[in-house]
């Protein structure tokens, strides 16, 4: 593949905007589409050609990167527009949305019949990782499609994990986010316990981060976004609630018994109704510390 391959990016939100700009900065010919014109304008400032329709973003490209809120958005875009995929040869959709394994499997099968590829390729690393091309990407799908899409994937990610067949990337991402959601709750509760027992929470956090209770949530999210009262990580309560709900549903559908995760799902749902879906998800850490 020449480094001038065309890439369509659908969804230019907190993650998609950074990914589209990163690809443009690395020499790909990028066409970006978002329902919101303001997001298309921001993409254009970063060297991305703003497509006026999804059809335009699908035309004459070798790859399409999705960064959409839900599996239902992904399904709708593919179902309504897949016949417009108009490049040469096999076109690979790289779906970085946190989506659902069953939906990814069905779309991969459908696109394969049409001669195209679909990788579920959810990411970790937040807007900063998207903007710097240092995401962790966990991938489900065929070896051949990953080989074709590798130049795009390598431009976006510093860690690439091919987890297994279609849907495997989604499963791994839901497991990861269930753990991150649990760490947000447990770290908040740990600092509350420290305060109740007469210890400065900042001092307790320093200990946790130098000892075995640490996680990325305690090492990065608490100092950067919770203790600082910034709450602007760029990942919303609504999207994390979606991930926790999906992980919970996966446990139920597979019969996995996960009592602590079930409670975490409850706390992110009805247990935190005071927080809106538009709030940053890091507010949950302070919320649990204040209960
Ligand atoms: P976001 O809400 O900031 O952006 C989503 C964008 O998609 C919006 O700009 C919206 O206008 C656009 N959109 C919705 N439907 C569309 C359609 N049919 N066609 C074109 N554009 C459409 O969300 P985000 O935080 O960027 O997250 C995107 C995905 O990545 C989600 O699945 C999320 O769970 C996942 N994710 C987010 C983060 C993070 O830190 N924000 C990290 C990892 C994964």
């Amino acid at each position: 593949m020449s480094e001038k391959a065309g890439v369509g990016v659908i969804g230019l939100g907190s993650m998609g905007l950074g990914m589209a700009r990163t690809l443009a900065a690395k020499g790909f010919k990028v066409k970006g589409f978002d329902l919101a014109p303001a997001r298309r304008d921001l993409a254009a400032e970063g060297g991305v050609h703003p497509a006026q329709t999804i059809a335009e973003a699908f035309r004459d490209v070798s790859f399409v990167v999705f960064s959409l809120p839900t599996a239902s958005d992904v399904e709708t875009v593919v179902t309504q527009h897949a016949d417009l995929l108009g490049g040469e040869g096999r076109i690979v959709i790289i779906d970085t949305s946190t989506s659902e394994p069953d939906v990814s499997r069905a779309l991969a099968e459908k696109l394969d019949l049409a001669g195209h590829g679909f990788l579920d390729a959810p990411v970790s690393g937040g807007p900063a990782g998207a903007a710097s091309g240092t995401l962790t990407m966990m991938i489900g799908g065929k070896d051949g499609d990953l080989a074709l899409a590798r130049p795009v994937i390598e431009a976006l990610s510093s860690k690439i994990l091919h987890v297994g067949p279609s849907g495997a990337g989604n499963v791994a991402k839901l497991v990861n986010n269930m753990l991150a959601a649990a760490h947000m709750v447990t770290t908040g509760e740990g600092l509350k316990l420290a305060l109740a027992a007469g210890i400065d929470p900042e001092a307790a956090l320093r200990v946790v981060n130098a000892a075995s209770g640490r996680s990325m949530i305690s090492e990065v999210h608490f100092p950067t976004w919770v203790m600082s009262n910034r709450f602007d990580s760029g990942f919303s309560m609504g999207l994390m609630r979606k991930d926790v709900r999906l992980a919970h549903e996966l446990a139920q559908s597979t019969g996995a018994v996960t009592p602590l995760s079930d409670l975490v799902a409850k706390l992110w749902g009805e247990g935190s109704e005071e927080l809106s879906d538009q709030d940053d998800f890091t507010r949950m850490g302070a919320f649990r510390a204040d209960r």
Side-chain angles (χ1 to χ4, degrees):
M1 190 205 72
S2 97
E3 58 172 10
K4 290 184 181 168
V7 185
V9 179
I10 312 291
L12 301 168
S14 302
M15 298 298 287
L17 179 69
M19 287 192 258
R21 286 177 155 211
T22 295
L23 290 170
K26 293 188 178 180
F28 292 90
K29 286 194 240 167
V30 186
K31 292 195 263 182
F33 177 77
D34 194 289
L35 292 175
R39 303 303 295 183
R40 302 203 291 265
D41 293 345
L42 283 173
E45 286 169 23
V48 174
H49 174 77
Q52 297 307 308
T53 59
I54 289 184
E56 189 187 338
F58 267 44
R59 205 176 298 130
D60 299 325
V61 296
S62 304
F63 306 97
V64 185
V65 174
F66 284 177
S67 180
L68 294 166
T70 67
S72 143
D73 297 312
V74 172
E75 196 170 24
T76 304
V77 171
V78 173
T79 307
Q80 292 181 355
H81 301 281
D83 56 335
L84 298 170
L85 285 172
E88 284 184 14
R90 191 175 177 88
I91 295 165
V92 182
I93 293 178
I94 304 160
D95 179 22
T96 69
S97 322
T98 304
S99 183
E100 301 177 31
D102 288 346
V103 172
S104 294
R105 287 182 199 117
L107 293 179
E109 208 177 314
K110 178 186 164 118
L111 281 159
D112 195 44
L113 287 172
H116 300 305
F118 182 96
L119 298 170
D120 47 295
V123 292
S124 181
S132 57
T134 57
L135 292 165
T136 293
M137 195 177 279
M138 48 219 90
I139 298 167
K142 293 188 167 184
D143 289 335
D145 288 330
L146 175 53
L148 281 174
R150 194 167 269 282
V152 176
I153 287 171
E154 283 181 349
L156 296 173
S157 328
S158 54
K159 289 184 189 153
I160 299 163
L161 299 136
H162 189 188
V163 191
S166 186
N170 294 143
V171 172
K173 175 67 179 170
L174 294 180
V175 168
N176 180 77
N177 277 25
M178 174 53 89
L179 288 172
H183 294 158
M184 191 60 82
V185 170
T186 53
T187 307
E189 292 187 1
L191 299 190
K192 175 167 67 175
L193 177 57
L195 185 63
I199 297 203
D200 175 11
E202 299 265 5
L205 187 63
R206 280 199 296 278
V207 170
V208 166
N209 284 335
S212 53
R214 71 183 181 275
S215 63
M216 184 177 271
I217 295 292
S218 70
E219 283 187 307
V220 176
H221 292 70
F222 265 72
T224 312
W225 293 297
V226 181
M227 308 299 266
S228 64
N229 284 320
R230 280 178 46 191
F231 305 115
D232 60 354
S233 78
F235 185 44
S236 68
M237 280 296 293
L239 288 177
M240 186 52 129
R241 282 184 171 128
K242 169 201 66 172
D243 298 350
V244 173
R245 178 179 52 75
L246 290 175
H248 183 57
E249 287 170 5
L250 195 61
Q252 288 179 317
S253 67
T254 56
V257 179
T258 55
L260 183 57
S261 301
D262 295 350
L263 180 56
V264 170
K266 202 169 164 188
L267 292 172
W268 278 86
E270 65 203 52
S272 54
E273 276 173 350
E274 293 92 331
L275 299 178
S276 86
D277 279 349
Q278 284 68 45
D279 277 325
D280 196 271
F281 93 114
T282 53
R283 287 216 176 261
M284 187 65 169
F287 181 75
R288 291 311 310 168
D290 286 346
R291 292 297 92 189

